[in-house]
Amino acid sequence: MKCAFFLLVVLLPQVPTLGQDQIKDLVSQLGKGHAETEAEIARFGSSAIPALTELLQDKSAERRSRYEAALVLGSIGSRRVVAPLLNALDDEDVSWAAIVALGEVGEEARAIVVRLAEIIAIESRPYSPDDQRSSLAIEAIGKIGYA
């Protein structure tokens, strides 16, 4: 009985801390050309969302790192990644990655299809400075579905 109590009180609270430290270390490697880093972070699933969101929102971080953080959030595919990716749509440095990532989230991102449609409507106009975002938004809606 004492052993079980020890596990619950002493060891279990340490597990998330160790995992979060490892996740933060991996997230700090994003954008540095290590192809396996994204997959390694994604395997942590929802546990990686806070560290990835923090990097995505850090405008002082390298653009490539933030871009990759968005893509990893999309590969996790949880409803919890929709809000940070939605906020990133207005960030010029990572909006493309946010659109692609929302498409990867799939059905969990259905609530934002209207926002993606707005991007299409605004940026499909003649002389739009960023027609590529519109194309990515169309592709993302196709992956998410709209029924």
Side-chain angles (χ1 to χ4, degrees), residues 24 49-59 61 66 73:
K24 284 183 180 186
I49 294 172
L52 289 165
T53 299
E54 184 178 329
L55 176 58
L56 178 63
Q57 295 172 345
D58 182 0
K59 295 192 181 210
R66 296 177 64 220
L73 283 168

Side-chain angles (χ1 to χ4, degrees), residues 31 56 58-69 91-97:
L56 178 63
D58 182 0
K59 295 192 181 210
S60 67
E62 290 183 30
R63 182 182 195 183
R64 183 70 193 166
S65 299
R66 296 177 64 220
Y67 191 93
E68 289 181 11
D91 185 329
E92 190 176 292
D93 288 340
V94 292
S95 64
W96 287 20

Side-chain angles (χ1 to χ4, degrees), residues 7-25:
L7 286 172
L8 287 173
V9 174
V10 177
L11 294 181
L12 285 181
Q14 293 178 6
V15 173
T17 304
L18 293 173
Q20 286 301 312
D21 289 343
Q22 186 178 10
I23 291 168
K24 284 183 180 186
D25 288 344

